[in-house]
Amino acid sequence: MTQYIIRRLLQAIPLLFIISLILFILMRNTGDPLATMGGRRLTRPEDRERLARQFGLDKPIYVQYLYWLIGNDWTKIDMDGDGIPETPGTRKGVLRGEFGTSLVIRGKPVSTLIWERLPNTLLLMITTEVVIIIFSIIIGVYSALRQYSVIDHLVTTVSFVGYSMPIFFIALASMYLFAVNFKKWGLPYLPTVGMFDPQIGKTPAQVALHMVLPVFSMALISIAGYSRFVRATMLEVMNEDYIRTARAKGLPNFTILFIHALKNASLPLVTIIGLDIPMLLGGAIVTERIFAWPGMGRLFLDHVSRADTPVVMGILMLISVAVIVFQLITDIVYAWLDPRIRYT
Amino acid sequence: MATLLEVRDLTTRFHTLDGVVHAVNGISYTLEEGQTLGIVGESGCGKSASVLSVMRLIPEPPGKIAAGQVIYRGQDLLKLNESQMQHIRGKEIAMVFQDPMTSLNPVLTIGRQISEALIVHMGMTQKQAYQRTLELLNMVGIPQADSRYGDYPHQFSGGMRQRVMIAMALACMPSILIADEPTTALDVTIQAQIIDLVKTLRDRLGMAVIWITHDLGIIAGLAEKVIVMYAGFIVERGDVDDIYDDPRHPYTLALLKSLPRVDRSSKERLATIPGLPPDLLSLPPGCPFAPRCAYVIERCRQENPRLEIVDSHHEIACWVDVGTGRER
Ligand SMILES: Nc1ncnc2c1ncn2[C@@H]1O[C@H](COP(=O)(O)OP(=O)(O)OP(=O)(O)O)[C@@H](O)[C@H]1O
Ligand code: SF4
Ligand SMILES: [Mg+2]
């Protein structure tokens, strides 16, 4: 198993190189980071030239990529524009753990920017994933047991509707209902922006309250899809011979359902969840934007629109690594659940 | 001997999209303590459905036990609720199924699958159940029980899995073991080993056994009583010797003729029964065996014969005396 993990990680290295190269080229073609430099006024032409030299933006793209990758402290930069490189470079490059500094927030290291936001995004994502798993199992198992009951039909309808709605619509609709209208009707209403109320401070209760709507918006679609999936696999598993054996042993229903059946039914679910995690990341970007959640999604959108290559590349590479790691975790969980699977 | 189980007029149907499958049509029999009863019949004649009804394991829907009584030690199992039934299953009546490949849970260790019944029914602690499970594994002839406790079903061969199934069924010392074609999926040599194992354990533990098979040959050295089933009906019942030496029902005769026997010359061709078992969706009004029967007379097509005593302990459901070929 350890061997397998190591091999998978090694295999991921070339993949990450290719991803980074493609993303870098795309990034360099999407916009002009020097247009306003994060401000409101257009950058003056003479400043532009100087800044371009300073950031190395005047170089061909493969050199820029090289600088991003391995830094430029081994060479000299032409800072004053006289055609002779005189100032030694200071960048260390990604391979030496330095993601550079933001172009638009001058001098701010990418790692600091990301580090400030990463925990918030992780909090949102992990909570959402846990909510998704718990609810889709409960709903899926319940509707499998009460197949064709009123509740089952209701769940089918709701999940069908839920599954066909885009995230932003769910987010806005839930804001409209639980925040705007609940307030209007004098009911307890939910906050819609930020992580906490600045007047109260960042208490766990505040953060939890502010998380309700974003988590709900992100989880709903997945719960809708997964609960159908759990229902289908549970129905299939409940027809298996080994479930009949378990019943013939006189085991209580709870044991049959949640140990004998669910452990088998969760196998395909694990695979699906693993495959869907990148999608959840995408959903997080939209959701964070709508709910002004101070996470990486917002950071990403703020900086991608200004073509801030170092920051955007930093976030994208982190996401790529995350996806690979999540996939590996999926494999490990799968092997743990299914003894027939042995990775070598 | 005291009567352990009495089945009366058991009727089980499956309500499918194509119509109602009459799987078990009012069968009655008794099982004495320590007795072994064989149930024989071709595939699809309701053998499994009849014993699954006794265990109340018929999937509902589409299945439904439409009528009858299953009296176990004086109480009608069909009247019990689900949780009362859970105390019967595995503890009083246990079952071994046909296919050991699919009947064990692939993601749980065999140790767990054996010991959980002990914990539920006998109130054992984890540790006691572990010890007892090792004893059971030894008892069914699985070597190095302690190192195999944590193994998963896919790490065992078919015969070994069936031994695990038997250990599981016998865990709580049931009074009745129902074995539903436990050897059909196994090699011939393994088959014999499993049959021997069940025989030995039956004698040691003094339990009653219901052994289902479509192979009359297996029953000979195993059972005391035999029921022959056809189309969900019992067509012949008697002591095992009577069934072999003096079969009275045309269907039983045909089954015996299709059996390879040492006392018959190998040149003699084995007779297979012509035709197919009837469609249980729409049974003909008369005797269900009539379309395939060599002795059929006019009456057979109008009236379905009832099970009647022809000798002491020997009953058949047939209008004809196979000895004379004329109506009885
Ligand atoms: N779940 C089910 N749904 C619909 N029909 C069923 C179901 N289970 C059994 N039947 C039908 O009931 C009839 C009796 O089946 P049963 O399994 O009892 O036969 P059997 O004698 O055990 O045969 P075999 O030797 O193949 O195991 C068959 O016609 C079968 O199609
Ligand atoms: S009743 Fe008639 S058809 Fe049925 S088995 Fe007897 S002889 Fe054959
Ligand atoms: Mg069967």
Side-chain angles (χ1 to χ4, degrees):
Chain A
M1 191 73 188
T2 326
Q3 249 183 351
Y4 172 78
I5 295 171
I6 293 169
R7 210 183 59 231
R8 278 285 299 266
L9 289 176
L10 289 178
Q11 280 167 353
I13 291 173
L15 186 66
L16 284 173
F17 270 111
I18 297 168
I19 291 173
S20 70
L21 187 62
I22 293 172
L23 291 175
F24 199 89
I25 295 168
L26 286 175
M27 258 327 281
R28 289 318 304 110
N29 289 307
T30 49
D32 177 10
L34 302 178
T36 63
M37 291 301 294
R40 289 190 183 281
R41 284 180 303 111
L42 279 179
T43 315
R44 285 185 316 226
E46 55 271 34
D47 291 341
R48 274 195 77 90
E49 210 186 306
R50 183 177 46 80
L51 287 165
R53 278 200 305 278
Q54 198 178 328
F55 293 133
L57 296 176
D58 54 340
K59 297 272 192 308
I61 192 150
Y62 65 89
V63 178
Q64 290 186 35
Y65 178 72
L66 210 62
Y67 284 0
W68 177 80
L69 199 62
I70 59 170
N72 62 359
D73 52 358
W74 44 274
T75 172
K76 287 196 169 64
I77 325 167
D78 174 21
M79 280 290 223
D80 46 15
D82 55 6
I84 308 153
E86 72 295 316
T87 323
T90 51
R91 287 162 60 182
K92 285 207 179 68
V94 173
L95 289 184
R96 280 181 285 165
E98 200 195 87
F99 280 84
T101 53
S102 167
L103 299 184
V104 297
I105 307 176
R106 295 282 297 276
K108 186 120 178 180
V110 172
S111 49
T112 318
L113 273 173
I114 291 180
W115 199 242
E116 283 168 5
R117 304 295 189 88
L118 182 65
N120 296 346
T121 292
L122 282 181
L123 179 67
L124 198 59
M125 278 200 51
I126 290 169
T127 312
T128 305
E129 198 59 68
V130 171
V131 166
I132 289 172
I133 292 170
I134 291 175
F135 277 88
S136 43
I137 286 177
I138 292 174
I139 296 172
V141 170
Y142 185 86
S143 40
L145 285 187
R146 299 269 181 282
Q147 199 188 357
Y148 306 130
S149 66
V150 178
I151 302 261
D152 182 34
H153 285 304
L154 191 75
V155 170
T156 310
T157 315
V158 171
S159 40
F160 189 70
V161 174
Y163 199 65
S164 39
M165 279 195 296
I167 272 198
F168 72 88
F169 181 77
I170 297 172
L172 294 177
S174 59
M175 269 180 168
Y176 183 66
L177 180 63
F178 297 114
V180 181
N181 276 331
F182 270 42
K183 192 171 183 181
K184 209 156 69 189
W185 300 333
L187 294 167
Y189 58 92
L190 288 162
T192 54
V193 289
M195 254 184 110
F196 54 90
D197 185 342
Q199 283 170 349
I200 299 174
K202 197 176 177 178
T203 61
Q206 270 292 311
V207 175
L209 201 61
H210 279 75
M211 255 165 46
V212 175
L213 284 183
V215 167
F216 173 79
S217 308
M218 277 200 281
L220 190 65
I221 296 175
S222 300
I223 291 175
Y226 293 174
S227 61
R228 293 285 85 191
F229 191 72
V230 172
R231 176 184 182 272
T233 35
M234 274 303 273
L235 284 175
E236 211 171 284
V237 167
M238 289 305 281
N239 273 324
E240 294 284 347
D241 284 355
Y242 52 79
I243 298 299
R244 188 180 59 188
T245 309
R247 301 221 297 139
K249 268 190 277 187
L251 300 180
N253 283 334
F254 184 87
T255 315
I256 296 177
L257 214 55
F258 286 97
I259 293 170
H260 284 255
L262 192 58
K263 204 171 173 207
N264 283 283
S266 61
L267 292 173
L269 185 67
V270 169
T271 313
I272 297 270
I273 289 177
L275 290 172
D276 276 358
I277 277 177
M279 248 179 58
L280 194 63
L281 274 160
I285 291 178
V286 179
T287 314
E288 288 182 0
R289 179 82 196 180
I290 295 174
F291 291 97
W293 185 264
M296 291 216 304
R298 241 178 85 196
L299 184 73
F300 178 77
L301 287 177
D302 288 350
H303 288 259
V304 83
S305 57
R306 296 176 201 158
D308 191 351
T309 313
V311 177
V312 174
M313 282 303 293
I315 295 174
L316 290 177
M317 290 323 291
L318 189 67
I319 291 177
S320 308
V321 172
V323 168
I324 289 168
V325 169
F326 276 126
Q327 230 97 92
L328 199 57
I329 292 176
T330 309
D331 284 353
I332 295 168
V333 171
Y334 200 100
W336 173 69
L337 283 171
D338 188 349
R340 287 163 298 185
I341 304 288
R342 278 289 157 261
Y343 301 116
T344 43
Chain B
M1 263 194 288
T3 300
L4 198 55
L5 182 77
E6 187 178 356
V7 175
R8 287 190 203 141
D9 286 322
L10 185 64
T11 305
T12 302
R13 300 184 182 130
F14 291 96
H15 299 265
T16 65
L17 291 177
D18 299 331
V20 182
V21 179
H22 298 264
V24 181
N25 300 310
I27 65 168
S28 307
Y29 60 87
T30 55
L31 182 70
E32 319 266 289
E33 262 177 75
Q35 192 179 51
T36 300
L37 172 73
I39 301 183
V40 195
E42 281 170 297
S43 186
C45 65
K47 304 181 299 291
S48 299
S50 71
V51 288
L52 288 173
S53 301
V54 169
M55 291 284 274
R56 298 258 308 269
L57 286 175
I58 292 284
E60 285 181 45
K64 180 103 185 79
I65 301 174
Q69 289 170 305
V70 176
I71 318 277
Y72 172 77
R73 292 192 196 272
Q75 61 179 340
D76 186 355
L77 299 186
L78 301 186
K79 292 210 168 69
L80 299 186
N81 64 29
E82 182 57 27
S83 77
Q84 289 170 319
M85 202 53 215
Q86 279 167 12
H87 293 291
I88 301 288
R89 291 189 199 121
K91 182 152 193 284
E92 306 291 333
I93 310 177
M95 196 157 170
V96 177
F97 295 95
Q98 176 167 352
D99 191 349
M101 293 303 171
T102 56
S103 295
L104 287 166
N105 195 320
V107 301
L108 300 175
T109 64
I110 58 119
R112 191 206 151 100
Q113 294 188 59
I114 296 171
S115 60
E116 62 188 349
L118 293 166
I119 295 167
V120 168
H121 293 305
M122 317 292 268
M124 287 191 187
T125 62
Q126 288 280 351
K127 212 172 154 190
Q128 290 168 325
Y130 172 78
Q131 281 308 329
R132 179 79 187 114
T133 301
L134 295 190
E135 286 168 28
L136 287 162
L137 287 173
N138 272 321
M139 184 176 88
V140 297
I142 291 180
Q144 283 134 20
D146 52 340
S147 70
R148 304 232 64 179
Y149 183 95
D151 282 355
Y152 290 90
H154 73 275
Q155 291 163 295
F156 291 83
S157 66
M160 281 295 164
R161 283 192 216 194
Q162 205 56 296
R163 285 173 194 261
V164 171
M165 285 292 291
I166 291 168
M168 214 156 78
L170 300 186
C172 303
M173 300 292 155
S175 320
I176 304 176
L177 173 71
I178 299 176
D180 186 356
E181 308 200 38
T183 58
T184 312
L186 305 174
D187 293 347
V188 185
T189 45
I190 312 286
Q191 245 180 41
Q193 289 172 11
I194 297 288
I195 293 169
D196 275 347
L197 176 69
V198 172
K199 265 200 241 175
T200 317
L201 294 174
R202 171 196 66 190
D203 297 342
R204 202 156 104 202
L205 309 173
M207 64 193 169
V209 174
I210 298 179
W211 188 287
I212 294 179
T213 179
H214 56 246
D215 183 357
L216 254 175
I218 288 180
I219 292 292
L222 192 67
E224 289 130 40
K225 287 259 180 195
V226 177
I227 288 174
V228 181
M229 276 187 80
Y230 188 77
F233 295 96
I234 294 180
V235 294
E236 179 155 12
R237 169 173 42 208
D239 293 340
V240 68
D241 296 337
D242 289 342
I243 297 286
Y244 276 91
D245 302 337
D246 184 22
R248 299 289 189 88
H249 194 281
Y251 178 60
T252 315
L253 264 146
L255 277 181
L256 282 168
K257 277 208 194 101
S258 67
L259 211 66
R261 284 175 81 143
V262 272
D263 57 356
R264 221 188 271 156
S265 92
S266 55
K267 286 196 199 81
E268 223 175 309
R269 278 197 49 206
L270 286 178
T272 50
I273 311 174
L276 291 168
D279 183 2
L280 296 179
L281 280 167
S282 53
L283 283 171
C287 171
F289 191 53
R292 304 167 76 188
C293 182
Y295 297 83
V296 62
I297 57 169
E298 197 41 44
R299 194 178 182 182
C300 307
R301 302 198 200 275
Q302 264 99 53
E303 276 177 89
N304 191 1
R306 298 178 62 86
L307 202 58
E308 280 170 11
I309 297 180
V310 285
D311 247 332
S312 58
H313 307 303
H314 197 164
E315 294 159 85
I316 62 165
C318 179
W319 297 125
V320 171
D321 180 342
V322 290
T324 63
R326 278 203 303 274
E327 190 167 347
R328 283 192 290 129

